[in-house]
Amino acid sequence: RLHTAAGHVEPRLADAAVLGHTSGIRPARPAVRVEEESRPSGPRLIHNLAWSLVGSATASVLLIVLAFRNFALTGAVALGAAALLSPITVQAAETAICYNCPPEWADWGSQLKVIQSRLNIQVPPDNKNSGQSIAAMIAEKANPVADVTYLGGISADTAKTAGILTAYKPKGWEKIPAELKDPDGQWFTIHSGTLGLFINKAALGKKPLPASWADLLKPEYKGMVGYLDPTSAAVGQLGVMAINLALGGTYENLDPAIKFFKELQKNQPIVPKQTSYARVISGEIPILLDYDFNAYRGMYKDNAPVAFVIPKEGSVVQPYVMGLAKNAPHAENGKKVLDFVLSDESQTMWGNAFLRPVFADKMSAEAKKKFLLDADYARDKRFDLKKLVAAQNIIVERFKNEVK
């Protein structure tokens, strides 16, 4: 179990041999041990160990030695079982740290494999969301860890204002539409998704697919409609604004959306706080306000009985952006990663993962056939990101005070 978990964190360990096991009893530690071991030669050895804080504890230790250029690291995890893996030596590799590059989201897993293959740069997977990435980078300003970050468009200017990004205009930057990049080069769009209705057709039974936002208010969909909590989830806030603009509101006037969601409460909506792809696939949530790429993934990867609908009143497109971290420890490698995600190969891969690449002509004809028709997508509009960011706090406060 420890070996498998280590492979998820550090892919180079996945195929490493386990050389032996040792068990023993360890006393409690009042604090985490982080200290350097004095060695006559070879790389530096830094211990980072933690045990139960109460009484004597039996603990399991995973000891990993990574022979990088000038140091080695040992890590121990207290899991309540007795096992010790002997040191495993791993060949050093070029590295770039990306915050918010989760392998299960937008098929980042395939991108990271190709980056390692093409560039000989290893980018460990990272499951932070946009908010967590920004918070971590702010906390680490004095000693940055990240080299690049991937963010929802709603967070782009927030990251710039926080002073955690630096200007870099990768190859192809000049071809990106002006509204999809920072003029100073601190962030740029790599792909986008359209917000709409992700529907499990089997879970609807004999009920028709809703075709509009207004349909969701019908009593026949009681207990079937879900949306992420707008007081905590960015996609929930995007949903509020999408409906607001579709129903005649503005970035400053949220009354149409607040009225809609107050009416929707009568239908007992399901309001999760985190992404709920699996709950739609299983039919637990029959209708979810979500992105097209999740619905297409369900259709074509998981062969689930799902569909995607862009409501007839219209919807919005959410861009996803990347940027170079300020004072990145592996800045040159980070720049190579940013160059790659705009390359023809990467852009085609995003399309194959059901996202719309920022360079639309790079989507393959095969991938395009799996999307709704262009006539359907004519109903989606791009956000004004600056106005959306300005409305974020108002969305949260009004929803909290008037809807929940």
Side-chain angles (χ1 to χ4, degrees), residues 147-148 165-174 176 181-189 322-326 331-342:
D147 299 302
V148 297
L165 301 177
T166 193
Y168 178 66
K169 299 177 180 179
K171 297 173 184 176
W173 184 88
E174 68 283 353
I176 301 173
K181 61 188 177 185
D182 173 58
D184 299 324
Q186 294 207 17
W187 58 262
F188 57 91
T189 297
M322 292 194 75
L324 183 68
K326 188 175 184 179
E332 292 308 308
N333 288 347
K335 291 176 182 179
K336 291 177 183 178
V337 170
L338 297 180
D339 287 341
F340 180 79
V341 296
L342 287 183

Side-chain angles (χ1 to χ4, degrees), residues 2 29 63 170 252 299 345 380 396:
L2 288 170
R29 288 187 184 278
L63 180 62
E252 297 76 28
M299 282 186 239
E345 181 178 12
D380 67 12
V396 172

Side-chain angles (χ1 to χ4, degrees), residues 159-210:
K160 179 180 179 179
T161 301
I164 56 176
L165 301 177
T166 193
Y168 178 66
K169 299 177 180 179
K171 297 173 184 176
W173 184 88
E174 68 283 353
K175 297 184 293 182
I176 301 173
E179 68 272 18
L180 296 178
K181 61 188 177 185
D182 173 58
D184 299 324
Q186 294 207 17
W187 58 262
F188 57 91
T189 297
I190 61 171
H191 55 228
S192 60
T194 293
L195 201 66
L197 303 178
F198 178 14
I199 303 168
N200 187 310
K201 296 182 290 185
L204 287 185
K206 295 183 179 180
K207 297 179 177 65
L209 267 65

Side-chain angles (χ1 to χ4, degrees), residues 210-286:
S212 65
W213 297 118
D215 282 349
L216 303 183
L217 302 179
K218 294 178 179 178
E220 62 191 294
Y221 298 115
K222 187 173 183 177
M224 291 187 162
V225 179
Y227 57 86
L228 268 63
D229 185 353
T231 66
S232 60
V235 68
Q237 296 158 14
L238 295 171
V240 172
M241 188 56 78
I243 292 171
N244 189 62
L245 296 176
L247 299 183
T250 66
Y251 290 96
E252 297 76 28
N253 175 21
L254 298 178
D255 289 347
I258 297 301
K259 179 182 178 182
F260 175 89
F261 280 96
K262 287 173 74 172
E263 286 292 315
L264 188 59
Q265 297 306 300
K266 298 174 184 177
N267 263 359
Q268 299 177 0
I270 304 164
V271 189
K273 291 187 177 294
Q274 295 180 327
T275 185
S276 298
Y277 175 83
R279 296 176 70 182
V280 179
I281 296 299
S282 70
E284 181 185 349
I285 302 177

Side-chain angles (χ1 to χ4, degrees), residues 82-93:
L84 178 64
L85 300 183
S86 296
I88 305 167
T89 302
V90 181
Q91 183 67 35

